[in-house]
Amino acid sequence: MSRPRSPIRLARVPWRGASQAAAAEGPPSVADVVRLIYPPEVAAAVLAQLGNDRPLSGLSELRRLMAPFDRQTFPTAVRVNFGGDDVVECEVDGVRLALDTADTSVSRTLIDTLTYEAHVTAVFRRYLRPGMTVVDVGANVGYFSALAAQLVGPEGHVLALEPNSENCRLILLTALANHADNIDVLPLAASDRRGWNYFSAHVGSNGGFIASARGDLLDGRGTVVASFPLDDLVEGPVHFIKLDVEGAEGLVLAGAKRLLERDRPIVVSELSIEMLERVSGTTVKDYVGAFVELGYRCHVLHPESEEVTEVTDVARYLDEWTDIFRLEELLFLPPPGTPNG
């Protein structure tokens, strides 16, 4: 009986092959590598955007070339993890961050502007106090986890949930850079039940749940990640929750009902009608309505002005939200008289 062949891992294969002939040829071209790692029709589209062909200098350049291509549109089973030369440290709003220079979605913004989502940052600074417990659901590269750890102090606690293991490595490096022993990283997803989800990076550090039919599981774009309800993960009082999970917010909410009823934490949540319906199978009306039924007051965060506007007529606000692709950042404040109200 023949032995099964071991899969080739691109990250472990040197550019020059084992033979002298391959070594004499030098590094492969961008076109050669793109045709190797993408399906034929996808490779053609990638090469059309990359332009002129040239030799590929190494894995770091390959990561930078792949980073801007959304894996939903340009699927590939190949991923190249970052190494020491791909990571830089910089200070953003007084917090040291380890960031991936190839990440075009979040890290690049932080590196280039030394700021990030000022309207959400302002909410963190306004409401977080020493000793609080913060749950960062969809922690991404860890900016808000690190900011929260600074604001709640050593007597506080930050729970960073992130299913992308590369992002988790950045969060751990950031925690070390800030001596933030109050950050606990859980490399998993929050959802409505215990089990698993099929997760894929989209662009750079951003990612989300994708379909898990047989064909999807075979194509290699994603990884199977463990999923747990927040109700099963978090003990003790929770004071603040940040939700940014690319449409899975409805699933997270469904798995956090006991926590919300018990602790009434402040919640800041990104929302998109299209993503929420596609990933969570729920509507914005039902999502916001669940908070309203618990007595929460709904507010809109305005990125341009950093203003916070209370929604006094929730039904009208939702009826006027007609652009399904529009992203909104909502702040839910618990009823007055509750510990966080």
Side-chain angles (χ1 to χ4, degrees):
M1 183 173 67
S2 62
R3 297 177 60 188
R5 297 177 62 187
S6 299
I8 295 176
R9 299 185 183 277
L10 185 60
R12 297 182 181 178
V13 178
W15 289 131
R16 293 176 174 82
S19 69
Q20 292 182 352
E25 292 176 359
S29 70
V30 169
D32 288 339
V33 175
V34 167
R35 293 190 183 104
L36 175 66
I37 65 179
Y38 288 102
E41 66 280 3
V42 177
V46 171
L47 289 173
Q49 294 194 33
L50 290 178
N52 295 331
D53 194 17
R54 62 187 183 281
L56 192 62
S57 63
L59 291 176
S60 289
E61 184 184 9
L62 177 59
R63 294 185 72 249
R64 290 194 297 273
L65 292 178
M66 294 176 66
F69 292 99
D70 184 345
R71 282 177 178 253
Q72 306 308 295
T73 308
F74 303 92
T76 175
V78 174
R79 183 182 72 178
V80 184
N81 294 342
F82 68 75
D85 293 339
D86 302 311
V87 176
V88 297
E89 280 193 8
C90 64
E91 186 170 312
V92 179
D93 290 326
V95 178
R96 298 291 299 175
L97 296 173
L99 299 170
D100 178 3
T101 56
D103 169 23
T104 58
S105 56
V106 176
S107 292
R108 196 72 256 169
T109 298
L110 286 159
I111 293 168
D112 292 342
T113 68
L114 299 182
T115 186
Y116 188 70
E117 295 190 354
H119 56 303
V120 181
T121 297
V123 169
F124 272 63
R125 293 195 178 280
R126 179 176 180 180
Y127 290 103
L128 295 191
R129 298 290 181 269
M132 282 186 165
T133 294
V134 177
V135 181
D136 187 359
V137 185
N140 200 276
V141 301
Y143 165 68
F144 284 115
S145 292
L147 175 64
Q150 182 187 81
L151 294 172
V152 302
E155 63 271 37
H157 182 212
V158 177
L159 193 63
L161 276 64
E162 174 54 49
N164 184 329
S165 63
E166 290 295 274
N167 287 346
C168 288
R169 285 209 288 154
L170 291 174
I171 299 169
L172 292 169
L173 289 167
T174 287
L176 289 172
N178 291 279
H179 307 286
D181 296 332
N182 57 347
I183 298 178
D184 285 331
V185 180
L186 293 184
L188 50 79
S191 190
D192 58 338
R193 61 177 66 89
R194 290 184 180 223
W196 61 272
N197 285 95
Y198 197 40
F199 175 88
S200 174
H202 295 337
V203 178
S205 59
N206 280 341
F209 295 160
I210 58 176
S212 55
R214 184 175 187 274
D216 302 297
L217 292 169
L218 285 171
D219 71 15
R221 278 180 300 158
T223 56
V224 176
V225 298
S227 299
F228 291 87
L230 287 183
D231 284 338
D232 293 351
L233 285 175
V234 185
E235 296 181 356
V238 173
H239 305 93
F240 190 100
I241 297 175
K242 189 219 83 183
L243 288 174
D244 186 353
V245 284
E246 304 295 306
E249 289 83 4
L251 300 176
V252 177
L253 175 62
K257 290 181 177 178
R258 293 199 311 271
L259 187 157
L260 290 172
E261 291 174 351
R262 180 191 70 212
D263 298 336
R264 300 299 177 94
I266 296 166
V267 179
V268 61
S269 173
E270 183 180 86
L271 281 182
S272 153
I273 293 175
E274 186 277 331
M275 288 194 292
L276 189 68
E277 293 183 353
R278 171 169 48 86
V279 178
S280 293
T282 190
T283 67
V284 168
K285 288 185 178 181
D286 288 341
Y287 181 83
V288 175
F291 283 98
V292 172
E293 288 180 4
L294 289 171
Y296 276 82
R297 295 159 288 155
C298 178
H299 300 72
V300 178
L301 305 183
H302 301 280
E304 302 82 6
S305 63
E306 299 180 31
E307 292 181 355
V308 180
T309 304
E310 183 171 2
V311 180
T312 55
D313 188 338
V314 174
R316 180 179 178 182
Y317 166 72
L318 294 174
D319 285 339
E320 293 176 349
W321 188 349
T322 56
D323 182 356
I324 65 171
F325 296 104
R326 188 178 85 203
L327 283 174
E328 288 278 64
E329 208 82 50
L330 300 182
L331 171 67
F332 296 101
L333 295 178
T338 56
N340 303 303

